[in-house]
Amino acid sequence: MNSIKACIFDLDGVIVDTAVYHYKAWKRLANSLGFDFTEEQNEKLKGVSRVRSLELILQWGGITKTAAEQEVLATEKNTWYVEMINHMKPDEILPGAKEFVQSCRDAGIKTALGSASKNSMMILEKIGIVDLFDAIIDGNKVSKAKPDPEVFLKGAEAVGVAPADCVVFEDAIAGIQAAIAGGMKAVGIGSPEVLTEANLVISGLDKMSIEKLDEL
Ligand code: BG6
Ligand code: MG
């Protein structure tokens, strides 16, 4: 008997690969400030909020900015990022993602989105899968960033399922930690060497099935 009653999905890196757009926008910002920003540094920003990402980038560039200046810079980066995601199409959904979320629904399992991104809704609209989720909790609805479990607890609450009966799909270490802190199961999307705390690690949702939920 499967006890999983809800699946909660992170967006960036699980449903779509937006890391490349974040990278281009942050790199443009860093370059405009006179320093470079590498793909390795971008990796460290997975699952990290916009504000915290900027703080880290300024730190890596050895630059200090006031809070007001940081707000301007974060907005500038987001404008460039939004220009890019505005062109996203349904074919950018990662392999198997749409199919697995749909198979959860077909099996009577609730589905929720739990993302730090304030641009979640726009991305879901562009790729045409807003209706696949029973609840959408994004960066506009939470005050505490992952690894705090707030985003996932709100997702569980919104679909009326106890945390112990939820499984979270995440590509970021902080996201896996957030799921565990919330008393949920965690499936890592990525490498087992990196996502060591997850109950199961797969390379993508194309490797997931309803049957595998039983093994968690
Ligand atoms: C996360 C991404 O999903 O959302 C981070 O992994 C990003 O890279 C964060 O910084 C916030 O996104 P946004 O769209 O609100 O700037
Ligand atoms: Mg992610």
Side-chain angles (χ1 to χ4, degrees):
M1 174 70 190
N2 196 341
S3 73
I4 299 297
K5 297 188 178 69
C7 286
I8 308 179
F9 300 87
D10 173 44
L11 177 64
D12 297 315
V14 173
I15 306 281
V16 281
D17 186 13
T18 45
V20 58
Y21 302 130
H22 281 296
Y23 173 62
K24 285 184 183 167
W26 283 130
K27 189 178 170 72
R28 185 169 168 184
L29 188 81
N31 291 167
S32 77
L33 295 169
F35 58 92
D36 206 12
F37 172 63
T38 65
E39 288 192 47
E40 289 68 41
Q41 289 170 325
N42 193 55
E43 278 297 305
K44 298 199 175 89
L45 303 181
K46 278 188 180 171
V48 178
S49 74
R50 195 184 308 167
V51 173
R52 181 68 190 138
S53 296
L54 177 63
E55 281 172 6
L56 287 169
I57 290 167
L58 292 175
Q59 205 175 304
W60 293 330
I63 280 186
T64 314
K65 294 280 178 190
T66 64
E69 286 167 337
Q70 287 187 29
E71 213 177 303
V72 172
L73 293 173
T75 303
E76 200 171 16
K77 179 266 175 178
N78 193 56
T79 304
W80 296 329
Y81 178 66
V82 168
E83 269 168 23
M84 287 184 275
I85 59 171
N86 195 26
H87 298 290
M88 286 183 84
K89 297 271 178 317
D91 66 4
E92 286 187 65
I93 301 174
L94 285 168
K98 190 174 177 180
E99 292 77 8
F100 180 67
V101 183
Q102 184 61 56
S103 66
C104 289
R105 294 176 69 93
D106 295 343
I109 295 167
K110 296 281 184 195
T111 59
L113 191 92
S115 168
S117 174
K118 294 184 173 174
N119 297 301
S120 294
M121 209 53 182
M122 178 180 180
I123 294 171
L124 292 178
E125 277 166 7
K126 291 287 167 190
I127 60 174
I129 58 166
V130 176
D131 295 343
L132 276 187
F133 299 96
D134 296 306
I136 294 172
I137 310 296
D138 66 12
N140 300 296
K141 293 185 180 164
V142 294
S143 54
K144 288 174 244 154
K146 300 168 188 177
D148 188 283
E150 184 186 14
V151 65
F152 297 138
L153 290 175
K154 284 197 167 161
E157 197 186 350
V159 295
V161 173
D165 297 328
C166 294
V167 55
V168 166
F169 294 84
E170 254 292 349
D171 70 317
I173 296 171
I176 300 287
Q177 290 169 340
I180 293 167
M184 303 177 183
K185 301 264 171 44
V187 174
I189 306 290
S191 140
E193 285 80 43
V194 178
L195 305 172
T196 52
E197 294 170 64
N199 299 89
L200 167 74
V201 181
I202 51 175
S203 58
L205 287 176
D206 54 340
K207 301 289 186 309
M208 196 59 203
S209 64
I210 298 296
E211 292 70 44
K212 280 191 185 166
L213 290 175
D214 286 327
E215 297 163 22
L216 297 173

